[in-house]
Protein backbone atom coordinates (compact mmCIF):
# COMPACT_ATOMS: atom_id res chain seq x y z
CA UNK A 1 0.00 0.00 0.00
CA UNK A 2 1.11 3.61 -0.50
CA UNK A 3 2.56 5.59 2.40
CA UNK A 4 -0.30 7.72 3.75
CA UNK A 5 -3.00 5.82 1.89
CA UNK A 6 -5.96 7.14 3.92
CA UNK A 7 -7.28 10.66 3.27
CA UNK A 8 -7.68 11.60 6.94
CA UNK A 9 -4.18 10.30 7.75
CA UNK A 10 -1.92 11.79 5.06
CA UNK A 11 1.87 11.79 5.17
CA UNK A 12 2.82 15.03 6.97
CA UNK A 13 6.49 14.43 7.57
CA UNK A 14 9.68 15.18 5.62
CA UNK A 15 11.07 12.46 3.36
CA UNK A 16 14.57 13.30 2.08
CA UNK A 17 16.06 10.72 -0.25
CA UNK A 18 19.52 12.25 -0.38
CA UNK A 19 19.84 11.43 -4.09
CA UNK A 20 19.39 7.67 -3.56
CA UNK A 21 17.30 5.44 -5.83
CA UNK A 22 14.20 3.41 -5.00
CA UNK A 23 14.08 0.47 -7.43
CA UNK A 24 11.43 -2.02 -8.51
CA UNK A 25 8.38 -0.18 -7.22
CA UNK A 26 5.34 -2.35 -7.88
CA UNK A 27 2.12 -0.65 -6.79
CA UNK A 28 -1.43 -1.59 -7.73
CA UNK A 29 -4.62 0.08 -6.58
CA UNK A 30 -5.70 -1.68 -3.39
CA UNK A 31 -9.29 -2.73 -2.74
CA UNK A 32 -11.46 0.13 -1.47
CA UNK A 33 -8.70 2.67 -2.18
CA UNK A 34 -8.74 5.71 -4.44
CA UNK A 35 -4.96 6.26 -4.59
CA UNK A 36 -1.93 4.52 -6.08
CA UNK A 37 1.71 5.63 -5.89
CA UNK A 38 4.70 5.46 -3.53
CA UNK A 39 2.76 7.99 -1.42
CA UNK A 40 -1.02 8.25 -1.34
CA UNK A 41 -1.97 11.54 0.33
CA UNK A 42 0.79 13.99 1.28
CA UNK A 43 0.78 17.27 3.17
CA UNK A 44 4.49 17.18 3.98
CA UNK A 45 7.71 17.32 1.98
CA UNK A 46 9.01 14.63 -0.39
CA UNK A 47 12.35 15.38 -2.02
CA UNK A 48 15.66 14.38 -3.57
CA UNK A 49 15.36 10.81 -4.80
CA UNK A 50 15.07 8.70 -7.94
CA UNK A 51 12.39 6.04 -8.36
CA UNK A 52 11.77 3.30 -10.92
CA UNK A 53 9.23 0.51 -11.34
CA UNK A 54 5.56 0.15 -12.30
CA UNK A 55 2.26 1.50 -11.01
CA UNK A 56 -1.14 0.23 -12.15
CA UNK A 57 -4.72 1.15 -11.30
CA UNK A 58 -8.25 0.19 -12.33
CA UNK A 59 -11.45 2.10 -11.53
CA UNK A 60 -13.61 -0.97 -11.07
CA UNK A 61 -15.44 0.24 -7.94
CA UNK A 62 -14.92 3.94 -7.29
CA UNK A 63 -15.97 6.86 -9.47
CA UNK A 64 -12.70 8.74 -8.95
CA UNK A 65 -9.09 7.51 -8.72
CA UNK A 66 -5.68 9.24 -8.44
CA UNK A 67 -2.44 7.69 -9.66
CA UNK A 68 1.09 9.14 -9.53
CA UNK A 69 4.59 7.81 -10.03
CA UNK A 70 5.56 9.38 -6.70
CA UNK A 71 2.41 10.81 -5.05
CA UNK A 72 -1.27 10.21 -5.79
CA UNK A 73 -2.60 13.46 -4.23
CA UNK A 74 -0.04 16.12 -3.29
CA UNK A 75 -1.06 18.89 -0.93
CA UNK A 76 2.50 19.52 0.20
CA UNK A 77 5.82 19.79 -1.69
CA UNK A 78 7.55 17.42 -4.10
CA UNK A 79 11.03 18.67 -4.93
CA UNK A 80 14.05 17.48 -6.92
CA UNK A 81 12.72 14.01 -7.72
CA UNK A 82 13.13 11.89 -10.83
CA UNK A 83 10.66 9.17 -11.83
CA UNK A 84 11.21 6.23 -14.17
CA UNK A 85 7.92 4.63 -13.13
CA UNK A 86 5.77 3.29 -15.98
CA UNK A 87 2.09 3.90 -15.24
CA UNK A 88 -1.06 2.26 -16.58
CA UNK A 89 -4.62 3.19 -15.69
CA UNK A 90 -7.85 1.51 -16.79
CA UNK A 91 -11.43 2.64 -16.28
CA UNK A 92 -13.49 -0.55 -16.13
CA UNK A 93 -16.39 0.42 -13.90
CA UNK A 94 -19.72 0.37 -15.77
CA UNK A 95 -21.01 3.32 -13.72
CA UNK A 96 -23.51 5.50 -15.58
CA UNK A 97 -22.63 8.70 -13.71
CA UNK A 98 -19.45 10.74 -14.09
CA UNK A 99 -16.19 8.91 -13.42
CA UNK A 100 -12.73 10.45 -13.22
CA UNK A 101 -9.13 9.27 -13.23
CA UNK A 102 -6.17 11.60 -12.59
CA UNK A 103 -2.81 10.19 -13.66
CA UNK A 104 0.62 11.84 -13.71
CA UNK A 105 4.24 10.81 -13.97
CA UNK A 106 5.01 12.57 -10.67
CA UNK A 107 1.57 13.26 -9.08
CA UNK A 108 -1.98 12.22 -9.89
CA UNK A 109 -3.39 15.48 -8.57
CA UNK A 110 -1.27 18.44 -7.39
CA UNK A 111 -2.77 20.86 -4.90
CA UNK A 112 0.62 21.88 -3.52
CA UNK A 113 4.00 22.51 -5.16
CA UNK A 114 5.95 20.31 -7.56
CA UNK A 115 9.39 21.72 -8.35
CA UNK A 116 12.55 20.64 -10.19
CA UNK A 117 11.19 17.16 -11.01
CA UNK A 118 11.65 15.04 -14.13
CA UNK A 119 9.51 12.23 -15.49
CA UNK A 120 11.09 9.50 -17.62
CA UNK A 121 8.25 6.97 -17.26
CA UNK A 122 5.64 6.12 -19.89
CA UNK A 123 1.96 6.78 -19.12
CA UNK A 124 -1.00 4.91 -20.62
CA UNK A 125 -4.60 5.49 -19.54
CA UNK A 126 -7.70 4.02 -21.18
CA UNK A 127 -11.43 3.71 -20.66
CA UNK A 128 -12.59 0.24 -21.67
CA UNK A 129 -16.30 0.58 -20.85
CA UNK A 130 -19.07 2.43 -22.67
CA UNK A 131 -19.59 5.23 -20.14
CA UNK A 132 -19.73 8.52 -22.06
CA UNK A 133 -19.04 10.51 -18.86
CA UNK A 134 -15.62 8.96 -18.25
CA UNK A 135 -13.10 11.78 -17.77
CA UNK A 136 -9.38 11.08 -18.16
CA UNK A 137 -6.94 13.70 -16.86
CA UNK A 138 -3.37 12.73 -17.71
CA UNK A 139 -0.08 14.64 -17.63
CA UNK A 140 3.62 13.91 -17.83
CA UNK A 141 4.08 15.60 -14.44
CA UNK A 142 0.55 15.76 -12.96
CA UNK A 143 -2.92 14.71 -14.08
CA UNK A 144 -4.50 17.78 -12.48
CA UNK A 145 -2.93 20.95 -11.09
CA UNK A 146 -4.55 23.60 -8.89
CA UNK A 147 -1.41 25.15 -7.42
CA UNK A 148 2.15 25.30 -8.80
CA UNK A 149 4.34 23.16 -11.05
CA UNK A 150 7.70 24.82 -11.66
CA UNK A 151 11.05 23.94 -13.28
CA UNK A 152 9.84 20.45 -14.22
CA UNK A 153 10.43 18.38 -17.35
CA UNK A 154 8.64 15.47 -18.99
CA UNK A 155 10.63 13.35 -21.43
CA UNK A 156 8.33 10.39 -22.21
CA UNK A 157 5.21 10.03 -24.29
CA UNK A 158 1.74 9.58 -22.90
CA UNK A 159 -1.33 7.94 -24.41
CA UNK A 160 -4.98 8.41 -23.41
CA UNK A 161 -7.70 6.30 -25.01
CA UNK A 162 -11.46 6.31 -25.26
CA UNK A 163 -12.74 8.87 -22.79
CA UNK A 164 -13.39 12.59 -22.44
CA UNK A 165 -9.68 13.27 -22.34
CA UNK A 166 -7.61 16.18 -20.99
CA UNK A 167 -4.00 15.31 -21.82
CA UNK A 168 -0.86 17.45 -21.61
CA UNK A 169 2.89 17.00 -21.56
CA UNK A 170 3.05 18.66 -18.13
CA UNK A 171 -0.57 18.56 -16.82
CA UNK A 172 -3.87 17.24 -18.11
CA UNK A 173 -5.96 19.93 -16.42
CA UNK A 174 -5.13 23.20 -14.67
CA UNK A 175 -7.65 25.10 -12.59
CA UNK A 176 -7.63 27.64 -9.77
CA UNK A 177 -8.03 26.73 -6.13
CA UNK A 178 -8.98 30.09 -4.65
CA UNK A 179 -8.26 29.00 -1.09
CA UNK A 180 -4.56 29.38 -1.94
CA UNK A 181 -2.67 32.54 -2.96
CA UNK A 182 -4.31 33.66 -6.26
CA UNK A 183 -1.01 34.66 -7.88
CA UNK A 184 0.18 31.05 -8.15
CA UNK A 185 -2.88 28.81 -8.26
CA UNK A 186 -3.01 26.52 -11.26
CA UNK A 187 0.33 27.80 -12.55
CA UNK A 188 2.88 26.02 -14.73
CA UNK A 189 6.15 27.97 -14.82
CA UNK A 190 9.59 27.30 -16.39
CA UNK A 191 8.64 23.78 -17.53
CA UNK A 192 9.56 21.74 -20.59
CA UNK A 193 7.96 18.82 -22.41
CA UNK A 194 9.66 16.70 -25.06
CA UNK A 195 7.32 13.69 -24.93
CA UNK A 196 4.54 13.04 -27.46
CA UNK A 197 0.92 13.48 -26.36
CA UNK A 198 -1.41 11.00 -28.09
CA UNK A 199 -5.20 10.90 -27.74
CA UNK A 200 -7.34 8.14 -29.27
CA UNK A 201 -11.06 8.43 -28.52
CA UNK A 202 -14.59 8.03 -29.82
CA UNK A 203 -16.11 9.99 -26.94
CA UNK A 204 -17.77 13.40 -27.04
CA UNK A 205 -14.69 15.63 -26.77
CA UNK A 206 -11.00 15.71 -26.04
CA UNK A 207 -8.36 18.34 -25.28
CA UNK A 208 -4.67 17.72 -25.93
CA UNK A 209 -1.72 20.11 -25.59
CA UNK A 210 2.04 19.98 -25.48
CA UNK A 211 2.00 21.56 -22.00
CA UNK A 212 -1.59 21.25 -20.73
CA UNK A 213 -4.75 19.65 -22.09
CA UNK A 214 -7.32 22.03 -20.63
CA UNK A 215 -6.10 25.32 -19.14
CA UNK A 216 -8.90 26.90 -17.09
CA UNK A 217 -10.16 28.88 -14.13
CA UNK A 218 -7.72 31.77 -13.98
CA UNK A 219 -4.62 29.59 -14.08
CA UNK A 220 -1.35 30.70 -15.72
CA UNK A 221 1.29 29.21 -18.03
CA UNK A 222 4.59 31.11 -18.15
CA UNK A 223 7.98 30.53 -19.77
CA UNK A 224 7.30 27.00 -21.00
CA UNK A 225 8.68 24.97 -23.90
CA UNK A 226 7.13 22.09 -25.83
CA UNK A 227 9.16 19.96 -28.23
CA UNK A 228 6.79 16.99 -28.32
CA UNK A 229 4.21 16.10 -30.94
CA UNK A 230 0.48 16.35 -30.23
CA UNK A 231 -1.58 13.72 -32.06
CA UNK A 232 -5.29 12.90 -32.01
CA UNK A 233 -7.04 9.88 -33.54
CA UNK A 234 -10.76 10.52 -33.33
CA UNK A 235 -14.03 8.95 -34.35
CA UNK A 236 -16.58 10.89 -36.37
CA UNK A 237 -18.49 13.36 -34.19
CA UNK A 238 -15.75 13.85 -31.60
CA UNK A 239 -14.72 17.44 -30.88
CA UNK A 240 -10.99 17.95 -30.40
CA UNK A 241 -9.22 20.94 -28.90
CA UNK A 242 -5.53 20.78 -29.65
CA UNK A 243 -2.48 23.03 -29.45
CA UNK A 244 1.28 23.10 -29.12
CA UNK A 245 1.02 24.59 -25.61
CA UNK A 246 -2.63 24.22 -24.53
CA UNK A 247 -5.41 22.23 -26.12
CA UNK A 248 -8.29 24.19 -24.62
CA UNK A 249 -8.22 27.56 -22.83
CA UNK A 250 -11.08 28.68 -20.61
CA UNK A 251 -10.61 31.97 -18.69
CA UNK A 252 -6.90 31.30 -18.29
CA UNK A 253 -3.60 32.98 -19.20
CA UNK A 254 -0.57 32.04 -21.30
CA UNK A 255 2.14 34.63 -20.69
CA UNK A 256 5.02 33.12 -22.67
CA UNK A 257 5.98 29.84 -24.28
CA UNK A 258 7.21 28.10 -27.39
Amino acid sequence: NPIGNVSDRPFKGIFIGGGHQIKNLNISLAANSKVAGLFGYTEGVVKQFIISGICAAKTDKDSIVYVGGIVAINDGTIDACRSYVDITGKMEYAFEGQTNIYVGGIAGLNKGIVSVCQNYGAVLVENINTNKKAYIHVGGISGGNSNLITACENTRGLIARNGQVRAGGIAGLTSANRTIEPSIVGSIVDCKNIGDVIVETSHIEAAAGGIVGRHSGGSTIKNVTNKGNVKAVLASGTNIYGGGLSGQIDSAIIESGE
Side-chain angles (χ1 to χ4, degrees), residues 9-29:
R9 286 179 290 177
F11 175 77
K12 294 184 178 182
I14 300 174
F15 182 95
I16 302 175
H20 294 288
Q21 183 170 359
I22 299 170
K23 297 182 178 180
N24 302 318
L25 178 76
N26 191 341
I27 292 282
S28 296
L29 189 72

Side-chain angles (χ1 to χ4, degrees), residues 32-103:
N32 302 315
S33 177
K34 296 178 182 290
V35 294
L38 176 64
F39 293 85
Y41 302 85
T42 62
E43 295 180 3
V45 177
V46 175
K47 63 188 298 184
Q48 297 175 355
F49 64 89
I50 302 165
I51 187 169
S52 62
I54 58 174
C55 183
K58 295 189 296 184
T59 57
D60 56 355
K61 292 183 179 180
D62 289 303
S63 60
I64 186 165
V65 166
Y66 306 91
V67 185
I70 295 177
V71 177
I73 301 178
N74 176 51
D75 205 357
T77 298
I78 307 171
D79 179 62
C81 292
R82 188 185 308 166
S83 176
Y84 292 85
V85 177
D86 292 330
I87 300 174
T88 58
K90 293 184 178 181
M91 305 178 78
E92 296 184 346
Y93 189 36
F95 179 64
E96 293 304 319
Q98 181 172 314
T99 61
N100 290 267
I101 185 167
Y102 290 84
V103 181

Side-chain angles (χ1 to χ4, degrees), residues 129-143:
N129 62 43
T130 59
N131 183 3
K132 298 300 182 182
K133 296 181 180 179
Y135 288 87
I136 295 173
H137 312 83
V138 56
I141 300 299
S142 185

Side-chain angles (χ1 to χ4, degrees), residues 74 76-78 106-107 110 112-117 141 148-152:
N74 176 51
T77 298
I78 307 171
I106 302 296
N110 177 51
I113 297 172
V114 181
S115 59
V116 200
C117 290
I141 300 299
L148 177 63
I149 299 173
T150 181
C152 293

